[in-house]
Amino acid sequence: MIKAILIFNNHGKPRLSKFYEHYNEDTEQQIIRETFHLVSKRDENVCNFLEGGLLIGGSDYKLIYRHYATLYFVFCVDSSESELGILDLIQVFVETLDKCFENVCELDLIFHVDKVHHILAEMVMGGMVLETNMNEIITQVDAQNKMEKSEVSASLKICYLDQIQ
Amino acid sequence: MPAVSKGDGMRGLAVFISDIRNCKSKEAEIKRINKELANIRSKFKGDKALDGYSKKKYVCKLLFIFLLGHDIDFGHMEAVNLLSSNKYTEKQIGYLFISVLVNSNSELIRLINNAIKNDLSSRNPTFMCLALHCIANVGSREMAEAFASEIPRILVAGDTMDSVKQSAALCLLRLYKTSPDLVLMGEWTSRVVHLLNDQHMGVVTAAISLITCLSQKNPDEFKTCVSLAVSRLSRIVSSASTDLQDYTYYFVPAPWLSCKLLRLLQCYPPPEDGAVKGRLVECLETILNKAQEPPKSKKVQHSNAKNAILFEAISLIIHYDSEPNLLVRACNQLGQFLQHRETNLRYLALESMCTLASSEFSHEAVKTHIETVINALKTERDVSVRQRAADLLYAMCDRSNAKQIVAEMLSYLETADYSIREEMVLKVAILAEKYAVDYSWYVDTILNLIRIAGDYVSEEVWYRVIQIVINRDDVQGYAAKTVFEALQAPACHENMVKVGGYILGEFGNLIAGDPRSSPLVQFNLLHSKFHLCSVPTRALLLSAYIKFINLFPETKATIQEVLRCDSQIRNSDVELQQRAVEYLKLSSIASTDVLATVLEEMPPFPERESSILAKLKKKKGPGAVSVTELEDSKRESSELNGAGERGPDPSVMAASNASTPSPSADLLGIRSAAPVSTAPASAGSLLVDVFSEAGPAASSGAVNDDGFLRFVCKNNGVLFENQLLQIGIKSEYRQNLGRMYLFYGNKTSVQFASFTTTVSCPGELQTHILGIVEPLVEGGAQIQQVLNIECLTDFSDAPLLNIKFRYGGALQNLTLKLPVTINKFFQLTEMASQDFFQRWKQLSQPQQEAQKIFKANHSMDTEVIKAKLLGLGMALLDNVDPNPENYVCAGVIQTKSQQVGCLLRLEPNAQAQMYRLTLRCSKDSVSKRLCELLAQQF
């Protein structure tokens, strides 16, 4: 099971945090800090797995992470997940973000936190993997956007009518 | 076209985020956030109804603020309102808010549940998915109660859309994990298993997680999944890379699903049906063969996906442990990976080999890689990989290679990463003991350990070397000589002084013949370290000195001189002072015969499970200890009727009984700072004192038996206090759940370092520490920790709280019983006289009753007794007992598995100052336990 998915930048600023187990707000923030501390001190070219910090459950949990440009993507998982499988999953997540945002960068994540959550929700649900096929995920996201668009233009029309009257 | 167009963002949100990003300081940021929070709050409270767009914008702002680490304590109602909107955008953002800021507020959950119910029955797949997501994210008991019966129906219905099926499968899984009792699979089992055959791979992907979890809990009901999983796997493995289209990932067909299928199979033994088994073996062979084929792509994603499957296949082969051919192939494959240029593969290969090493078919094959593994330990740049290498060396160690492996691990220790040193020390100590043929090698190894990594040598390790030296007379002379040499070093670790003091005190005579290590030389050497040591070590050295007086009468005058000097006999530390006074007196008044008896060599320790092994198991969890080792330790402990892993160390009692009947409280004198006793020491207590410092005693007994009993009838107060530390508790209980707040106060002006706490509890209780304490506690500071407790079934052993910290360099180790007693889970039950006696009669089997007659320890004041009974948690019933002097109470103990009804009757006899206490409960163990607890309260 995936216990948490964290994205933070090279300075430890959180860009997305999604916990699939309940912690209080303080603990969540401490976990983010602890995880950043563990991950950021590692060199490039070392392996992508390490034992989880104390707060997240110690050696029963693994942190599996990838570092892309300014961002760290960290999945905290228990022993029932395949390490390499999760690495692939991170890749799918990032490729999907890249498709949805066209060359995704940190700013996209900052200004569209809600979208990132929605995309993630198409992949992972309650800590388990829902879908790994990128095209399927993007189809779902596209469908959501269409619905959003139609609602927005409908409400614009109403506004427009209001003004005419 | 990008799926998210950048133009449709909300301007207000973007401006706010930019503002925050432009803040120059943390203060400015907080100010800006507070301003925004005030703004949103007033908007939400305002009279003007907000349109969906504004609500959405504000909720997004709140999410952003929350991500920055600020508490959000409002907005939930607005989010709930958004849920019930008919517009997708509003509904979506409402659900997002709820799932990020889950709140267990049951009032709120009820409102959310209402909206979810509507969405689930809306037949709009998008809305249904949103609702299912929300349930899976919150997963609370209330939700399980509301939806556990509905979800399976959605999951197996013929007309459900695939995407909804996927969500329903994972939603059900979540509910099953949180409330297994509410999810009744029964009639759905077969249809759920057949989802493995579903045409849509996404549905299979989601369903397999559900099936795996259910199979682990109910293997028999779900065993038909084995053949289905094998045929699905076989179809994937034999498919061409283009067959599965979108589920082919970098030329590998459905890697994620393959891994999950192989995991599912690991829940079961090898298939019995020959055809199924043949097909599976074929699959595994194909996977192993593919690893040897040239890659279809140079991209790392391709090799990752391929190897993910390969590692799962190897795990399955190891799990079956029955196909020697496959095992050897797996081992060879891992051997190749050990030298692979990808660090990830080296890491995983080391990890898999650890499990392979415990299989009898492959143990020898694993051993052939020893040089590579040692090399990895020496040269890997990555500490996670080095750690796996150390684990593997430990797992592959046997009599044939122990000396080499221990030597390598010792030399690695000198440069090892701080985070893994303690574990390495334990492992070296265990291997050295387990494979010692010649015990001088063992002694050398442990002394080397102390020399190289003294700070990381826990008490268990040096207790153990002393136990072994005492029990084996062939090594005593060598040990004395070696510690004597080790102590020559100008700076030696305090742990070395402890071992040296103890061993020379016992066996110094064995090397006294050599003029270079004559008695006086030995004494002077030890005493030269005295002033650099902490109080417990000094106490130990004083005991060694009195033993010297017995071993070497010629040192008597010198040692008496030392004991007599003001820094000893008037030492401000009561323990040191007491020892100096008592030893001085003893040495001057006792005859040689008495001295010889009192200070006789320590008797052998009873053989038992190595305390170090227990510690390593505790550290790593039972799964991490290899199979062979577990068997060995079982063999060891079977001889000595059960040295359990948990709870007070039985050797404490065994050893103190062997030497003296003195109360065990004396054993712990040093740590709990017992009051000074000025009476001349009895022979018995002296011996025990010697033992308490050096034996394995002081480490584990709980020191607060009295404190513990004070909390039977109350929930708050000071649990423990000594010169360094005060521990207060506050606790509250509801039904079978409890929450305890622990407050640790540093009473000194010096910082406590490496402060850690752990709780071990009997299987009937579950405890969960929320938040780890900071490792540093400043002088005068107080820190808080919260513990959640769940009572699964009735219990009698209290959980133990172990606290470790360094105070001025010395490691302090304290174990306390936490006052969690069965009566904390009482619910009041009011009843009339008639009911009471009727139930009383129903509980008339002899074992259901427990009775005690005892003398009053406290005043027999009515109000005090009443207060205590109320504190107990039962209802105090008036006008029930015909004798108004008597007290009767009723209550129900709530545990997760059952409820236990309890009735109590307390009959005071003021003249005799006695009580008679009678308990009748629907479970006999509860009657007994309550009776024991209560008899000490009045």
Side-chain angles (χ1 to χ4, degrees):
Chain A
M1 177 188 170
I2 300 170
K3 207 168 181 184
I5 295 176
L6 307 174
I7 306 178
F8 38 72
N9 72 3
N10 290 345
H11 306 290
K13 279 249 181 249
R15 293 307 177 210
L16 176 94
S17 71
K18 178 76 197 156
F19 287 85
Y20 295 100
E21 202 159 279
H22 189 59
Y23 296 96
N24 65 32
E25 290 87 350
D26 282 348
T27 320
E28 288 187 1
Q29 290 298 322
Q30 280 176 25
I31 289 174
I32 297 174
R33 275 199 296 278
E34 185 188 45
T35 310
F36 170 70
H37 180 73
L38 287 169
V39 169
S40 62
K41 69 178 179 196
R42 294 169 61 82
D43 295 338
E44 297 294 325
N45 300 326
V46 296
C47 75
N48 299 81
F49 324 123
L50 65 156
E51 282 183 2
L54 284 176
L55 290 172
I56 199 93
S59 56
D60 294 342
Y61 290 89
K62 278 213 172 93
L63 301 177
I64 297 172
Y65 73 100
R66 269 179 186 271
H67 190 192
Y68 295 90
T70 62
L71 293 175
Y72 286 96
F73 287 69
V74 188
F75 280 43
C76 173
V77 304
D78 67 10
S79 60
S80 72
E81 302 291 349
S82 148
E83 288 93 342
L84 291 173
I86 294 286
L87 268 189
D88 285 342
L89 193 68
I90 299 179
Q91 179 72 17
V92 171
F93 183 33
V94 174
E95 284 183 27
T96 310
L97 289 174
D98 201 53
K99 283 238 168 85
C100 293
F101 286 106
E102 258 187 331
N103 292 327
V104 65
C105 68
E106 193 180 338
L107 283 177
D108 294 321
L109 269 57
I110 298 173
F111 286 101
H112 302 279
V113 161
D114 52 332
K115 298 279 176 201
V116 181
H117 270 290
H118 296 321
I119 294 168
L120 185 60
E122 294 299 327
M123 295 182 64
V124 181
M125 177 169 157
M128 305 306 285
V129 172
L130 184 66
E131 182 58 79
T132 57
N133 174 354
M134 189 160 64
N135 293 335
E136 190 85 16
I137 299 166
I138 291 177
T139 313
Q140 295 290 341
V141 175
D142 275 337
Q144 291 176 9
N145 284 319
K146 257 186 218 130
M147 274 195 278
E148 247 171 74
K149 283 258 166 59
S150 66
E151 283 179 5
V152 169
S153 53
S155 67
L156 278 180
K157 261 179 223 155
I158 296 168
C159 290
Y160 184 63
L161 284 176
D162 283 350
Q163 280 172 0
I164 292 177
Q165 280 165 359
Chain B
M1 189 197 83
V4 177
S5 69
K6 295 185 182 181
D8 65 355
M10 288 165 278
R11 225 183 93 74
L13 176 65
V15 169
F16 170 62
I17 294 175
S18 304
D19 279 1
I20 295 286
R21 285 166 53 78
N22 289 334
C23 284
K24 295 270 185 309
S25 65
K26 193 81 198 160
E27 288 71 36
E29 183 185 308
I30 291 174
K31 211 170 144 198
R32 179 69 185 88
I33 286 173
N34 284 337
K35 188 178 146 202
E36 192 61 42
L37 285 174
N39 172 39
I40 300 174
R41 215 185 281 264
S42 74
K43 284 278 168 23
F44 281 165
K45 284 218 178 107
D47 306 329
K48 217 178 106 202
L50 295 171
D51 57 18
Y53 171 82
S54 318
K55 276 193 202 154
K56 185 180 161 189
K57 182 176 71 186
Y58 294 131
V59 168
C60 279
K61 283 183 180 175
L62 289 180
L63 283 176
F64 184 77
I65 294 171
F66 178 74
L67 182 64
L68 291 176
H70 299 266
D71 282 2
I72 302 295
D73 53 4
F74 67 100
H76 299 88
M77 277 320 292
E78 282 68 24
V80 172
N81 288 337
L82 286 171
L83 290 190
S84 11
S85 160
N86 279 326
K87 281 195 181 155
Y88 169 70
T89 37
E90 293 171 15
K91 195 182 277 296
Q92 187 194 34
I93 203 78
Y95 273 120
L96 178 59
F97 184 91
I98 299 294
S99 68
V100 174
L101 286 140
V102 253
N103 191 312
S104 49
N105 178 342
S106 59
E107 202 56 42
L108 193 69
I109 298 266
R110 212 161 299 146
L111 292 170
I112 299 171
N113 276 358
N114 233 353
I116 291 178
K117 198 166 279 168
N118 290 334
D119 284 338
L120 282 184
S121 52
S122 70
R123 310 198 62 82
N124 173 338
T126 318
F127 288 5
M128 288 172 87
C129 282
L130 283 175
L132 290 167
H133 266 276
C134 184
I135 302 174
N137 273 313
V138 179
S140 71
R141 178 110 194 139
E142 284 103 328
M143 286 194 170
E145 278 163 2
F147 303 111
S149 54
E150 177 68 15
I151 312 283
R153 218 177 313 238
I154 298 176
L155 176 60
V156 299
D159 58 347
T160 307
M161 299 260 298
D162 287 333
S163 62
V164 178
K165 261 192 204 170
Q166 283 171 275
S167 301
L170 293 185
C171 181
L172 186 59
L173 171 55
R174 176 60 191 256
L175 293 186
Y176 182 75
K177 277 183 180 166
T178 45
S179 316
D181 53 320
L182 294 177
V183 178
L184 304 169
M185 288 312 294
E187 45 183 322
W188 312 114
T189 306
S190 149
R191 298 172 74 177
V192 168
V193 171
H194 276 86
L195 289 173
L196 285 176
N197 268 340
D198 200 282
Q199 298 218 313
H200 191 280
M201 296 279 267
V203 173
V204 189
T205 304
I208 194 157
S209 293
L210 173 66
I211 295 168
T212 306
C213 178
L214 292 169
S215 302
Q216 280 162 346
K217 299 278 157 56
N218 326 285
D220 283 342
E221 284 99 283
F222 282 84
K223 64 173 179 249
T224 47
C225 71
V226 172
S227 61
L228 289 174
V230 169
S231 63
R232 188 94 216 190
L233 180 69
S234 156
R235 269 179 283 156
I236 296 174
V237 169
S238 58
S239 67
S241 58
T242 48
D243 285 359
L244 299 171
Q245 292 168 1
D246 287 348
Y247 286 87
T248 296
Y249 176 83
Y250 288 90
F251 305 102
V252 183
W256 180 269
L257 185 54
S258 307
C259 287
K260 287 284 164 185
L261 286 165
L262 288 161
R263 277 279 160 134
L264 170 60
L265 292 171
Q266 286 173 52
C267 304
Y268 289 93
E272 283 156 18
D273 180 336
V276 177
K277 188 170 181 191
R279 210 164 170 199
L280 178 57
V281 169
E282 212 171 282
C283 283
L284 294 172
E285 277 170 348
T286 314
I287 294 170
L288 286 168
N289 292 340
K290 279 192 179 171
Q292 302 300 329
E293 288 169 10
K296 295 198 176 73
S297 154
K298 288 219 165 61
K299 285 252 166 84
V300 66
Q301 281 78 15
H302 172 68
S303 72
N304 268 356
K306 205 163 119 179
N307 291 326
I309 302 173
L310 180 58
F311 275 108
E312 287 306 325
I314 291 175
S315 301
L316 183 63
I317 293 169
I318 297 172
H319 167 77
Y320 286 163
D321 197 18
S322 60
E323 302 280 329
N325 266 342
L326 288 174
L327 277 166
V328 171
R329 281 193 71 183
C331 185
N332 291 340
Q333 182 61 55
L334 294 177
Q336 280 182 22
F337 282 146
L338 284 183
Q339 319 222 27
H340 202 280
R341 62 187 167 79
E342 269 283 320
T343 317
N344 285 339
L345 295 182
R346 295 200 301 275
Y347 175 98
L348 294 173
L350 288 165
E351 193 177 58
S352 294
M353 266 207 179
C354 256
T355 41
L356 205 51
S358 55
S359 157
E360 58 170 321
F361 296 115
S362 50
H363 184 76
E364 288 303 313
V366 171
K367 271 169 64 187
T368 58
H369 298 288
I370 185 166
E371 295 303 331
T372 320
V373 182
I374 288 173
N375 201 33
L377 188 64
K378 283 178 177 161
T379 58
E380 280 289 351
R381 284 170 51 217
D382 184 351
V383 60
S384 332
V385 184
R386 289 200 300 271
Q387 194 171 352
R388 291 287 90 85
D391 286 349
L392 178 54
L393 280 180
Y394 178 74
M396 65 161 68
C397 191
D398 61 18
R399 215 169 280 282
S400 72
N401 55 19
K403 283 202 174 171
Q404 185 189 9
I405 287 181
V406 167
E408 292 294 348
M409 287 174 97
L410 266 179
S411 76
Y412 171 62
L413 251 182
E414 301 198 40
T415 52
D417 202 85
Y418 293 107
S419 56
I420 59 173
R421 282 196 184 181
E422 191 181 351
E423 198 185 314
M424 289 287 295
V425 166
L426 288 176
K427 286 184 167 164
V428 171
I430 290 168
L431 292 178
E433 180 186 336
K434 194 163 156 194
Y435 297 114
V437 184
D438 118 41
Y439 276 86
S440 54
W441 172 73
Y442 169 75
V443 170
D444 283 340
T445 305
I446 301 295
L447 293 184
N448 265 330
L449 260 189
I450 297 177
R451 210 172 4 236
I452 294 169
D455 281 342
Y456 299 90
V457 172
S458 55
E459 311 211 303
E460 287 85 349
V461 172
W462 71 264
Y463 292 164
R464 190 68 185 159
V465 68
I466 284 172
Q467 286 173 21
I468 287 180
V469 169
I470 288 186
N471 287 9
R472 306 195 60 97
D473 42 18
D474 54 334
V475 76
Q476 288 160 355
Y478 181 80
K481 183 165 152 283
T482 323
V483 290
F484 178 77
E485 279 161 11
L487 286 173
Q488 308 278 345
C492 58
H493 196 273
E494 191 164 331
N495 280 335
M496 187 70 89
V497 178
K498 290 181 189 164
V499 176
Y502 198 102
I503 289 187
L504 291 180
E506 294 291 324
F507 308 113
N509 55 330
L510 300 176
I511 56 167
D514 188 328
R516 283 168 301 176
S517 51
S518 70
L520 263 183
V521 175
Q522 285 184 37
F523 170 73
N524 286 332
L525 180 63
L526 280 180
H527 198 54
S528 70
K529 315 283 183 197
F530 187 90
H531 301 282
L532 302 170
C533 292
S534 64
V535 168
T537 310
R538 289 189 195 189
L540 182 147
L541 285 177
L542 289 179
S543 301
Y545 296 169
I546 186 73
K547 289 223 152 191
F548 266 46
I549 293 184
N550 175 44
L551 287 180
F552 316 117
E554 66 265 40
T555 59
K556 183 170 172 179
T558 320
I559 292 175
Q560 282 184 334
E561 195 62 35
V562 168
L563 292 175
R564 201 176 291 125
C565 78
D566 276 357
S567 63
Q568 309 297 356
I569 212 159
R570 300 215 171 127
N571 195 299
S572 60
D573 184 277
V574 287
E575 178 63 32
L576 291 180
Q577 189 186 70
Q578 182 181 1
R579 288 194 185 210
V581 171
E582 290 181 358
Y583 291 162
L584 185 60
K585 205 77 182 163
L586 177 71
S587 66
S588 28
I589 54 176
S591 69
T592 348
D593 285 352
V594 172
L595 262 191
T597 321
V598 171
L599 300 171
E600 202 179 10
E601 195 178 293
M602 289 295 287
F605 287 84
E607 274 303 329
R608 64 208 177 88
E609 182 180 15
S610 160
S611 49
I612 323 178
L613 198 56
K615 175 156 178 166
L616 184 69
K617 275 185 215 159
K618 213 189 288 165
K619 223 173 141 60
K620 296 292 276 184
V625 181
S626 75
V627 180
T628 42
E629 189 172 271
L630 281 175
E631 280 164 4
D632 281 2
S633 64
K634 248 184 258 155
R635 213 175 312 131
E636 274 165 32
S637 59
S638 61
E639 296 159 21
L640 353 126
N641 66 17
E645 257 182 78
R646 179 179 51 76
D649 196 333
S651 75
V652 178
M653 298 320 293
S656 68
N657 288 341
S659 50
T660 153
S662 151
S664 66
D666 269 11
L667 279 173
L668 304 156
I670 288 180
R671 271 154 231 280
S672 55
V676 192
S677 95
T678 44
S682 73
S685 83
L686 265 178
L687 253 187
V688 176
D689 267 351
V690 174
F691 181 80
S692 83
E693 246 328 277
S699 70
S700 42
V703 297
N704 65 329
D705 268 336
D706 298 353
F708 172 76
L709 284 172
R710 276 191 289 115
F711 285 88
V712 171
C713 295
K714 65 175 187 174
N715 287 335
N716 306 328
V718 175
L719 178 64
F720 172 80
E721 184 160 13
N722 66 8
Q723 290 157 333
L724 305 178
L725 181 70
Q726 185 192 55
I727 303 175
I729 59 165
K730 262 172 121 167
S731 44
E732 55 203 31
Y733 294 88
R734 217 185 103 232
Q735 299 191 328
N736 70 325
L737 302 174
R739 173 168 284 195
M740 183 176 280
Y741 298 85
L742 291 152
F743 301 90
Y744 305 97
N746 181 345
K747 289 172 64 182
T748 70
S749 54
V750 186
Q751 188 185 59
F752 293 163
S754 323
F755 191 91
T756 56
T757 62
T758 47
V759 174
S760 55
C761 64
E764 301 87 343
L765 278 179
Q766 254 180 12
T767 54
H768 178 57
I769 297 185
L770 300 175
I772 299 296
V773 290
E774 292 288 331
L776 291 180
V777 186
E778 295 298 339
Q782 190 188 58
I783 55 169
Q784 184 193 336
Q785 192 172 38
V786 185
L787 191 68
N788 274 353
I789 301 157
E790 183 178 11
C791 175
L792 302 179
T793 173
D794 72 295
F795 63 98
S796 49
D797 290 348
L800 294 175
L801 170 70
N802 180 265
I803 301 159
K804 282 192 186 135
F805 58 93
R806 287 187 184 274
Y807 166 67
L811 184 69
Q812 308 285 326
N813 187 347
L814 190 72
T815 302
L816 300 173
K817 276 192 197 172
L818 285 177
V820 181
T821 44
I822 184 71
N823 62 294
K824 301 291 181 196
F825 303 97
F826 259 130
Q827 298 268 96
L828 310 177
T829 316
E830 295 286 354
M831 55 179 82
S833 174
Q834 199 186 353
D835 290 341
F836 183 88
F837 283 104
Q838 191 185 348
R839 285 179 207 212
W840 184 264
K841 279 188 202 115
Q842 280 165 0
L843 298 171
S844 59
Q845 288 169 31
Q847 65 271 29
Q848 287 176 326
E849 181 182 280
Q851 191 172 68
K852 249 193 182 139
I853 298 170
F854 53 92
K855 232 181 156 48
N857 285 320
H858 303 280
S859 98
M860 295 184 79
D861 181 74
T862 319
E863 286 317 307
V864 175
I865 295 175
K866 276 189 177 168
K868 281 185 178 165
L869 288 171
L870 286 172
L872 183 66
M874 299 175 87
L876 185 58
L877 306 176
D878 287 323
N879 307 324
V880 169
D881 200 292
N883 179 352
E885 298 292 322
N886 292 347
Y887 303 90
V888 292
C889 303
V892 175
I893 289 178
Q894 304 274 349
T895 73
K896 193 176 178 195
S897 60
Q898 65 180 137
Q899 301 190 337
V900 183
C902 305
L903 302 175
L904 172 149
R905 189 177 198 195
L906 181 70
E907 297 157 272
N909 180 338
Q911 269 179 327
Q913 287 287 302
M914 299 279 280
Y915 287 104
R916 180 161 74 184
L917 172 69
T918 315
L919 274 143
R920 287 190 177 184
C921 305
S922 57
K923 196 163 179 193
D924 32 355
S925 54
V926 175
S927 310
K928 244 179 84 204
R929 180 60 185 158
L930 281 174
C931 195
E932 279 163 20
L933 284 171
L934 287 177
Q936 300 171 67
Q937 297 299 321
F938 297 98

